[in-house]
């Protein structure tokens, strides 16, 4: 993200001449200190950028400087543009503008060769705003507060310092230092609500710096799953479930039967999560082994049927 910001900053300085650090900080939603770090990075990269004090002062480029696009080959220019297109998967609003400006600078047509969107259907501006807020918290190492929906349906107030965004198993997560746990934890973004960026929250940040590289970011649910004993499953799944089992199981665990159905043999962690996962297949799945899990599924489905018996 810093490379994209540096390119945009250079373009803005070329276009406007002199810009103040607070203006750039507001534009990129970072701190003034981060802007000055970017200025230093540009200078180290050979861009003749300088700062001036007093009225009319700010950050500028030397008058005779021109961003020489010939420093990049056609292939390198294409790779930069393609990378920006791929990054649009996180739906950050500034990437489209950066892509447009660089396309113009390189004099290249806007060829939309790829489109990746990891966001769920129906998500809108609210989720985009959350990504922007989390990005700011990560870049500035700021504390956030939020309400988190736990696996058992309970709502808990949490404080944390976000470290990075993760996309795993078709969902977005944020890895963050949790003050309640005193360690890095992973939170599913769709379970977070009332997210706020706190002002003047320095308490615990030193502790965060000490443990951030020594602790793995693991969700409470993931800890429970990983610590659960594994059991050998034998499942029969009807042909209608083919699209799911290909996505969710290894090829060597899948056996296609003569009637077009599938038999799956897999080792999976036991627990409530496993029952809920198997129930998500509905009536196209039948547990063959172990017998204890087969009986549990029978009891659960009977209880479900009872709710609709009236």
């Amino acid at each position: 993200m810093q490379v994209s910001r540096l390119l945009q900053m250079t373009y803005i300085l070329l276009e406007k001449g002199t810009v103040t650090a607070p203006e750039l900080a507001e534009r990129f939603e970072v701190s003034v200190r981060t802007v000055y770090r970017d200025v230093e990075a540009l200078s180290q990269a050979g861009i003749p950028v300088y700062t001036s004090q007093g009225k009319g002062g700010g950050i500028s480029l030397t008058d005779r400087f021109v961003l020489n696009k010939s420093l990049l080959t056609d292939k390198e220019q294409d790779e930069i543009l393609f990378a920006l297109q791929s990054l649009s998967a996180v739906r950050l609003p500034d990437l489209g503008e950066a892509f447009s400006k660089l396309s113009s600078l390189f004099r290249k047509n806007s060829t939309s060769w790829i489109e990746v969107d990891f966001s769920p259907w129906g998500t809108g501006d609210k989720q985009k705003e959350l990504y922007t807020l989390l990005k700011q918290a990560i870049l500035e190492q700021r504390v956030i507060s939020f309400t988190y929906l736990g696996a058992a349906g309970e709502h808990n107030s949490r404080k944390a310092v976000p470290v990075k965004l993760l996309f795993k198993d078709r969902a977005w997560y944020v890895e963050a230092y949790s003050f309640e746990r005193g360690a890095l934890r992973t939170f599913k973004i769709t379970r977070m609500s009332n997210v706020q960026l706190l002002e003047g929250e320095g308490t615990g940040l030193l502790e965060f710096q000490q443990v951030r590289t020594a602790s793995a970011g693991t969700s409470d649910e993931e800890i429970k799953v990983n610590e659960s004993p594994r059991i050998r499953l034998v499942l029969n799944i009807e042909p209608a479930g083919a699209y799911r089992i290909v996505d969710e199981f290894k090829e060597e665990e899948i056996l296609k039967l003569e009637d077009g159905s599938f038999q799956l043999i897999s080792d999976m962690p036991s627990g409530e999560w496993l029952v809920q996962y198997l129930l998500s297949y509905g009536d196209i799945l039948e547990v063959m082994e172990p017998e204890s899990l087969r009986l549990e599924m029978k009891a659960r489905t009977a209880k479900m049927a009872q709710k609709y018996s009236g």
Side-chain angles (χ1 to χ4, degrees):
M1 291 304 298
Q2 186 188 24
V3 173
S4 173
R5 189 169 65 246
L6 293 178
L7 288 168
Q8 291 184 71
M9 185 180 294
T10 305
Y11 187 93
I12 291 170
L13 294 174
L14 280 169
E15 186 177 44
K16 296 187 176 181
T18 300
V19 184
T20 67
E23 287 174 337
L24 289 172
E26 182 179 0
R27 165 68 179 78
F28 294 113
E29 297 180 347
V30 297
S31 66
V32 171
R33 185 172 57 180
T34 298
V35 169
Y36 282 119
R37 284 202 296 263
D38 289 345
V39 169
E40 184 178 354
L42 285 173
S43 180
Q44 291 175 351
I47 306 296
V49 59
Y50 67 95
T51 61
S52 55
Q53 305 296 322
K55 186 177 181 180
I59 302 169
S60 312
L61 296 171
T62 57
D63 293 339
R64 291 183 295 176
F65 173 74
V66 175
L67 184 59
N68 187 355
K69 64 177 183 289
S70 65
L71 293 174
L72 299 170
T73 66
D74 279 344
K75 182 179 179 181
E76 289 169 334
Q77 292 172 29
D78 286 336
E79 287 174 350
I80 290 173
L81 296 177
F82 293 164
L84 287 176
Q85 281 187 313
S86 301
L87 282 172
S88 65
V90 297
R91 306 188 72 179
L92 295 177
D94 55 347
L95 291 177
E97 187 176 352
F99 175 78
S100 177
K101 288 180 177 179
L102 287 175
S103 295
S104 176
L105 179 67
F106 295 155
R107 298 183 184 277
K108 291 197 174 277
N109 294 326
S110 178
T111 302
S112 183
W113 74 287
I114 185 173
E115 181 175 346
V116 184
D117 189 354
F118 292 134
S119 59
W121 292 107
T123 55
D125 293 337
K126 187 175 181 180
Q127 191 169 32
K128 292 180 186 178
E129 291 171 4
L130 178 56
Y131 287 141
T132 301
L133 186 148
L134 291 174
K135 179 188 74 171
Q136 181 181 355
I138 291 168
L139 293 176
E140 299 178 9
Q141 293 186 6
R142 298 277 295 279
V143 179
I144 62 170
S145 66
F146 57 96
T147 301
Y148 195 66
L149 177 63
E154 76 283 6
H155 289 83
N156 298 307
S157 298
R158 310 294 288 267
K159 275 187 180 181
V161 182
V163 177
K164 63 182 175 181
L165 290 171
L166 306 169
F167 185 82
K168 183 178 180 181
D169 193 22
R170 296 170 292 176
W172 279 105
Y173 299 81
V174 59
E175 184 179 295
Y177 175 76
S178 167
F179 292 119
E180 286 79 13
R181 300 292 184 182
L184 290 175
R185 286 292 183 264
T186 303
F187 301 98
K188 195 170 185 177
I189 288 180
T190 54
R191 295 186 186 177
M192 299 171 66
S193 60
N194 304 318
V195 183
Q196 295 183 4
L197 191 65
L198 301 183
E199 299 292 340
E201 288 286 339
T203 305
L205 289 181
L206 178 59
E207 181 186 1
F208 155 65
Q209 292 289 354
Q210 292 172 343
V211 304
R212 65 176 300 182
T213 57
S215 177
T218 310
S219 68
D220 294 342
E221 294 82 7
E222 196 172 1
I223 290 174
K224 292 176 184 176
V225 169
N226 291 338
E227 291 179 350
S228 300
R230 302 183 75 87
I231 59 175
R232 179 179 180 272
L233 296 179
V234 178
L235 310 173
N236 283 355
I237 297 180
E238 295 177 13
Y243 74 100
R244 278 193 62 176
I245 62 175
V246 170
D247 289 341
E248 299 170 10
F249 290 88
K250 299 176 183 177
E251 185 178 355
E252 58 269 25
E253 297 176 333
I254 304 171
L255 174 64
K256 189 170 183 179
L257 304 179
E258 291 184 2
D259 63 356
S261 63
F262 300 89
Q263 184 176 83
L264 301 176
I265 301 177
S266 178
D267 291 331
M268 300 183 74
S270 61
E272 176 62 21
W273 82 272
L274 177 59
V275 175
Q276 296 296 333
Y277 169 73
L278 296 176
L279 285 172
S280 72
Y281 275 84
D283 62 358
I284 64 173
L285 177 144
E286 181 181 1
V287 175
M288 308 306 294
E289 297 179 18
E291 183 64 21
S292 59
L293 182 59
R294 180 179 173 86
L295 292 174
E296 176 64 22
M297 294 290 289
K298 182 178 180 180
R300 293 293 184 99
T301 53
K303 186 177 180 180
M304 291 171 62
Q306 207 172 33
K307 291 184 177 181
Y308 296 97
S309 60

